[in-house]
Amino acid sequence: MAQYSRISGSVGLITLSNPPVNALSAAVRQGIVDTVEKALGDPQVKSVVICGQDGIFCGGADIKEFGKNMSGPPLIPMIHTIECATKPMVAAIEGSALGGGLELALGCHYRIAHSKARLGLPEVTLGLLPAAGGSQRLPRLIGVPAALDLITTGRHVTAAEALQLGIVDQVTDHATVDAAVKFALSVAGKPLDTRRISTYPCPHVSDVDALCENVMQKVRKSAHGAIAPIACVQAVRAAATLPYTQGMEREKELMATLYTSGQARALQYSFFAQRAVSKWRIPSGARWDTSTPRPLHKVAVIGLGTMGRGITVALAQAGLPVITVETHEKQLMEAKRAVSDMLNRGAKRRGVAPPLDKISYSCNLQDLADVDLVIEAVFEDMTLKKKVFRQLSAVCKPGTLLCTNTSGLDVDQLASQSRNPELVVGMHFFAPAHVMKLLEVVYGPQSSPQAVATAMQLGKKMGKVSVAVGNCRGFVGNRMLKLYTEQASFLLEEGATPDLVDQAIEEFGFPMGVFKVSDLSGLDVGWRIRKEEKLAGLSVASGQSTRIREGRRYSPLADLLCEQGRFGQKTGRGWYQYDKPGGRVARSDPWLHHFLEEYRAQHGLVARHIDHQEVLERCLYAMINEGFRILEDGIAAGPEDIDVIYVFGYGWPRHRGGPMFYSGMVGLEKVLERLEHYYQAHPDVPHLQPCRLLRRLVARGSPPVHKWREVIKNLHSQL
Ligand SMILES: CC/C=C\CC(=O)SCCNC(=O)CCNC(=O)[C@H](O)C(C)(C)COP(=O)(O)OP(=O)(O)OC[C@H]1O[C@@H](n2cnc3c(N)ncnc32)[C@H](O)[C@@H]1OP(=O)(O)O
C-alpha cells in the first residue's frame, strides 16, 4: 500500500499505492508509517520524496472508512512524524492532492506539483473539516483570508494558483517525480527549521475577529443550515488566535461534533450516490459498462428559446461543433446575439476564448443531414414536437440519435414518430441549461443501449450529472415535484400563507420556498399545461366542482392567480408582490392574503393554525411517498438516482442527502405513520396513501438506504 525504493543513490522514494485515487486507507497509512521509518533509518538516504502511483498523489482519507471502527495508524501523528523528520521530505504532487492528501503534503518540508495538478481541502463538502492539521497548517502557510476561502468552500485550486498562494514551492510541466528527486538532492543536508509549517506564526491579520465574523455571516447565508462550513471558520480562527497545539485541540473538538453528525453521513452518501448514478443500468438489461456510446462529431439543437440557447452554450463549451435551427431569420439572429453574449460572459469568467466558432446558425432543417445527434428543444407542445420528429426522421442520416428536451411529455409517443424509435431518448435539461448540473436521460422500452450510453456520455462531457430514468409523466423530478407543490397549495386553502410555507421550506435548507420558485419560473407555465390537460380553463367540464378533478381534491388557486394576470416575477405580481415587472425581491402581498381569505369563505373552508412541522411533513412526505412509487414502478433504478436528481436539479439541501436518504434519517416508520395520519385526514388526496414499498421496507425493519435495492428487486419479482 506504500512502496519504498532508493533512487539516485540517496533519495528514499515512497509511493502511495491504492487505486484508483490512492486514498489513505488504514493499509496505506500503515505503509506510510513503515516506509518513512525505513527511509529515516537508512543512513544512505539523505532526503525523501513521497508520491502517488498512477499519476495521482492522493485523494485524501478513505471515505469508505468513515463511520466504521478506526483501525490502522491515525493521520495526525503520522504527519507529525514526517514534519519532525531531520531529512528533507518532499511531496511530488501529480493529479490531485485533496483533503488528507494535501494535509500529508503540508506535513512535508517541500511541495513540487505538476502544472496539471489540483489541490484542495474539500472536507467541508463531506460535512467535515481538515482535521489532520490542515485547518492549522494552511492558515500559517498562506494566511487566514486565503485559508478561509479554501477551507470553507472546499474548492480545488490549480497548481498555478497553489504556487501563487504559496502552497507549493515549484511547478513543473515535466515528470514530477524526477523534478522532486532532483529537488530533494538539492536540499539534502540543508536545515529544516524554517520548513516546518506548524512552527510558523500565523501571518498577522489586522482584525481577525472582524474578518472571521464577516466570513461567518457569508457562510451562514450560503450554507442553508449546513454546520461544517461554520466549524471550518471556527477552526481557522483557532489557528489565527491560538498556539499550534491548542489549535489542534480545537480542530479535534470541532471534528468530533462533525464526524458523527447526520449531515456528514448525508454528504458522504451524496458523494457516493453521485458516482453510483453514472453506473446506470436499465430494465432491458443494458448497462454502463457493456454499452458503447456513439462518437459525436457534430450535433444539432432545434429551437432557440431559453432552453435551446442554454443547451447550445453548454454544447459549445464542451467543445462540440453545433448547428442550431430556428424557424425565422429574425428569431435566429436574436438567438445568435443572446448565445454569443452568454458565451462571451462565460469565457471572460473562465479566462478563456469564447467558442463562438463552434456554432453555426440556420433556418433550414435540411442542414441537419449530416449530424450525429439532434436535441429538439422546441415549445413544450406534443403536436409540434411530433411534427419536428417526423421531419427529422426524414432529413437526418441513418443512425442519427434524436433527443427531445422535454420536462415531462411522453418520450415513447415521440419515438413512435421516428423511423428508428430505438434511437430516441429524452434529455431533460434544467434552466438555465448551461448552468444547472442535472440532466435526466429518459429511456423508453425501445431505446437502444447505445442511445442511452451516448446521451449519458454527452451529459458528462457537458459537465452534467446525468441520471438515466424511465419514461412516465414528469419523469422522476417533476413527477415528485407535482405532489410537493400540490400539498403547498392545499396548505394555503387550509390556512397557511405563501410566506409561512416558504419560510418552513427555506429553514429546512432549500434555497427558495415553493411559492418563490413558482413566481420565478412563472405561474403561466403550469397553467398552460393544466389547460391542455383540461384541469383548468374553459375546457373544464361544466358542473365540475372547482376543487375536485377526476374524483380527487384539486386546488385552483394558481389558476385563479393566472386569470388575474399574476404570473409571478415577470408581471410583478404572483404569490408575492415585486417592485416592478421583472423585480426579484419578493414581498408579502396583503392582496394575496385577502384573496385567500375570500377564497376560503367562498368555499366554506375554515382557516386553522398550521405550523412549520406540518408544512414539512405534508410537502416532503408526499413527495417522498411518490419517490417510493417511482422505485416500485422501476422508473428510477435506486434511491440514489432520486436523491441525486433532487440535490442537483431541485435545490434539495445536499447536507440532507436527498428525499429518499432523508426519509431514512427521519425513520421510515415515522414517515409511514405521518402519511397514514394525513391520508386519514385527507382521504380525497390519494397520493398521501402510503405506498407498498414504504410499507414493505418498514415491515422488513427499515433497512438502511443502501439495502433498499434488494427489497425493490424482491417486490419486482413478485409483480
Ligand atoms: C481526519 C480526517 C482527515 C482527512 C479527511 C479527508 O481527507 S476527507 C476526503 C477528502 N477528499 C475528497 O473529498 C476527494 C474525493 N474525491 C474526489 O474529489 C475525486 O474522486 C478525485 C480524487 C478528484 C478523482 O476524480 P475522478 O473523476 O477521476 O474519479 P471519481 O470521482 O469517479 O472517483 C473514482 C473512484 O474513487 C473513489 N474515491 C474517490 N475519492 C475517494 C476517497 N477519498 N475515498 C474513497 N474512495 C474515493 C470514488 O468513489 C470512485 O469509486 P468508484 O467505485 O469507481 O465509483
Side-chain angles (χ1 to χ4, degrees):
M1 288 295 182
Q3 279 125 29
Y4 177 70
S5 59
R6 182 152 55 78
I7 55 169
S8 299
S10 63
V11 178
L13 180 67
I14 294 172
T15 308
L16 314 186
S17 155
N18 182 17
V21 301
N22 298 323
L24 295 164
S25 63
V28 172
R29 296 195 305 274
Q30 188 62 58
I32 297 174
V33 167
D34 295 344
T35 50
V36 166
E37 195 183 323
K38 211 167 183 173
L40 297 181
D42 183 345
Q44 311 262 33
V45 167
K46 304 295 178 217
S47 50
V48 181
V49 168
I50 304 181
C51 66
Q53 200 182 40
D54 292 337
I56 174 162
F57 181 70
C58 176
D62 187 340
I63 306 167
K64 290 195 190 88
E65 284 183 355
F66 293 164
K68 297 188 181 144
N69 284 339
M70 177 80 179
S71 66
L75 271 178
I76 294 177
M78 182 188 96
I79 294 172
H80 183 67
T81 305
I82 290 173
E83 193 183 57
C84 292
T86 49
K87 298 177 185 179
M89 308 291 287
V90 181
I93 301 172
E94 284 178 324
S96 304
L98 299 173
L102 180 55
E103 292 177 295
L104 168 66
L106 291 175
C108 293
H109 305 120
Y110 299 96
R111 287 155 293 282
I112 313 295
H114 189 269
S115 52
K116 296 217 169 95
R118 319 259 315 171
L119 298 89
L121 293 175
E123 284 87 340
V124 69
T125 63
L126 298 167
L128 305 174
L129 61 87
S135 74
Q136 303 305 300
R137 284 196 179 89
L138 194 66
R140 284 180 163 76
L141 183 65
I142 65 171
V144 177
L148 276 170
D149 167 35
L150 259 59
I151 293 175
T152 58
T153 60
R155 75 182 177 90
H156 302 181
V157 296
T158 59
E161 189 179 351
L163 183 66
Q164 199 184 22
L165 287 168
I167 300 176
V168 299
D169 302 288
Q170 202 181 87
V171 173
T172 178
D173 282 326
H174 306 291
T176 319
V177 176
D178 291 352
V181 169
K182 199 168 155 204
F183 188 89
L185 287 166
S186 74
V187 292
K190 294 218 170 125
L192 293 170
D193 294 344
T194 59
R195 303 298 314 174
R196 296 189 177 100
I197 299 172
S198 72
T199 65
Y200 296 2
C202 211
H204 177 71
V205 190
S206 62
D207 189 347
V208 75
D209 286 333
L211 171 68
C212 290
E213 188 45 43
N214 191 10
V215 176
M216 187 67 100
Q217 273 179 23
K218 274 196 207 140
V219 155
R220 281 216 169 93
K221 206 165 160 207
S222 60
H224 301 296
I227 54 175
I230 289 163
C232 286
V233 180
Q234 290 168 326
V236 175
R237 190 179 178 283
T241 54
L242 298 173
Y244 176 74
T245 41
Q246 284 177 38
M248 286 298 285
E249 278 305 309
R250 185 77 181 120
E251 182 189 91
K252 188 173 161 190
E253 260 168 43
L254 290 163
M255 179 65 159
T257 318
L258 297 181
Y259 193 72
T260 50
S261 69
Q263 291 197 3
R265 268 171 58 203
L267 285 159
Q268 288 153 29
Y269 160 82
S270 193
F271 173 85
F272 289 116
Q274 187 183 339
R275 280 147 186 87
V277 298
S278 64
K279 297 179 176 144
W280 57 272
R281 56 172 65 212
I282 59 177
S284 68
R287 35 187 284 167
W288 67 284
D289 52 351
T290 53
S291 310
T292 316
R294 220 199 124 138
L296 298 177
H297 304 292
K298 191 172 178 188
V299 299
V301 176
I302 303 191
L304 290 176
T306 313
M307 290 309 289
R309 293 175 190 183
I311 296 168
T312 303
V313 168
L315 288 166
Q317 284 174 341
L320 280 152
V322 196
I323 173 160
T324 57
V325 179
E326 249 303 344
T327 30
H328 298 106
E329 188 68 22
K330 185 167 170 273
Q331 284 147 334
L332 187 72
M333 287 305 114
E334 247 171 49
K336 183 177 179 178
R337 269 193 299 278
V339 167
S340 303
D341 282 353
M342 284 152 88
L343 284 173
N344 282 325
R345 277 199 303 273
K348 199 168 163 200
R349 230 183 0 259
R350 291 194 271 170
V352 295
L356 300 169
D357 59 342
K358 291 279 175 209
I359 308 172
S360 51
Y361 296 84
S362 167
C363 282
N364 189 355
L365 266 191
Q366 300 299 327
D367 289 343
L368 304 191
D370 64 342
V371 299
D372 302 304
L373 178 144
V374 183
I375 301 176
E376 164 280 301
V378 303
F379 204 60
E380 191 79 340
D381 173 329
M382 184 52 106
T383 315
L384 175 63
K385 282 185 189 272
K386 277 184 174 171
K387 184 175 153 206
V388 171
F389 261 67
R390 281 193 298 272
Q391 288 171 332
L392 286 172
S393 211
V395 165
C396 294
K397 67 183 178 188
T400 299
L401 255 70
L402 302 185
C403 307
T404 173
N405 171 58
T406 167
S407 57
L409 293 181
D410 185 350
V411 175
D412 296 343
Q413 267 197 54
L414 284 173
S416 70
Q417 304 300 304
S418 158
R419 271 198 310 244
N420 302 97
E422 73 281 5
L423 297 179
V424 174
V425 288
M427 286 182 93
H428 178 202
F429 290 89
F430 291 71
H434 59 303
V435 175
M436 291 292 285
K437 292 287 276 181
L438 180 67
L439 173 67
E440 281 182 317
V441 170
V442 188
Y443 58 83
Q446 301 191 68
S447 305
S448 72
Q450 192 187 42
V452 179
T454 308
M456 290 294 282
Q457 201 194 45
L458 176 60
K460 190 171 176 192
K461 195 155 188 207
M462 294 166 83
K464 307 290 174 203
V465 178
S466 312
V467 186
V469 299
N471 181 31
C472 66
R473 182 119 199 116
F475 316 131
V476 169
N478 286 346
R479 175 167 158 184
M480 287 168 71
L481 190 75
K482 188 162 183 267
L483 283 305
Y484 165 79
T485 52
E486 185 180 82
Q487 285 300 318
S489 284
F490 292 162
L491 286 163
L492 296 190
E493 294 184 337
E494 291 165 37
T497 60
D499 318 52
L500 174 108
V501 173
D502 281 356
Q503 199 191 355
I505 288 180
E506 286 165 19
E507 277 174 15
F508 179 79
F510 278 91
M512 257 188 179
V514 52
F515 293 109
K516 285 193 192 136
V517 171
S518 168
D519 272 359
L520 173 69
S521 38
L523 277 74
D524 51 324
V525 180
W527 191 36
R528 190 167 29 78
I529 295 170
R530 290 191 296 279
K531 282 194 284 190
E532 270 168 28
E533 290 173 341
K534 304 196 185 343
L535 294 170
L538 298 173
S539 50
V540 176
S542 60
Q544 168 88 279
S545 156
T546 328
R547 297 184 51 241
I548 294 177
R549 295 284 181 281
E550 295 160 359
R552 302 164 181 196
R553 180 171 170 186
Y554 176 82
S555 170
L557 284 172
D559 304 334
L560 295 172
L561 292 196
C562 287
E563 283 167 19
Q564 305 257 353
R566 295 179 72 108
F567 294 164
Q569 286 188 7
K570 62 176 94 165
T571 55
R573 296 277 185 278
W575 298 106
Y576 294 91
Q577 56 177 327
Y578 301 84
D579 57 353
K580 58 175 191 278
R584 298 266 179 118
V585 182
R587 278 182 297 119
S588 186
D589 190 347
W591 179 91
L592 196 275
H593 297 172
H594 180 68
F595 160 79
L596 287 175
E597 276 163 24
E598 276 194 343
Y599 172 88
R600 290 183 202 115
Q602 191 189 344
H603 293 280
L605 298 163
V606 180
R608 61 184 175 83
H609 172 74
I610 291 169
D611 61 15
H612 282 196
Q613 191 183 341
E614 179 171 353
V615 172
L616 293 181
E617 288 179 350
R618 291 270 299 273
C619 293
L620 303 185
Y621 295 0
M623 176 160 83
I624 287 166
N625 197 29
E626 193 63 12
F628 281 115
R629 278 200 195 95
I630 282 171
L631 291 173
E632 240 175 57
D633 296 350
I635 294 293
E640 297 86 354
D641 301 74
I642 296 178
D643 287 336
V644 166
I645 286 172
Y646 261 81
V647 166
F648 288 96
Y650 292 85
W652 183 281
R654 197 158 185 254
H655 60 270
R656 292 190 189 269
M660 308 321 286
F661 179 86
Y662 174 70
S663 70
M665 290 293 268
V666 170
L668 297 183
E669 306 83 345
K670 177 162 179 212
V671 175
L672 175 61
E673 181 268 308
R674 296 314 290 157
L675 279 168
E676 272 168 343
H677 165 83
Y678 289 121
Y679 181 50
Q680 216 166 43
H682 307 278
D684 50 354
V685 186
H687 281 105
L688 287 172
Q689 184 173 25
C691 75
R692 207 154 35 128
L693 176 59
L694 173 58
R695 289 187 188 286
R696 173 75 63 107
L697 285 164
V698 171
R700 296 275 160 94
S702 302
V705 68
H706 66 272
K707 300 218 164 128
W708 291 5
R709 279 180 197 245
E710 206 51 41
V711 180
I712 297 166
K713 215 163 78 190
N714 289 340
L715 193 74
H716 285 164
S717 65
Q718 286 164 21
L719 291 177

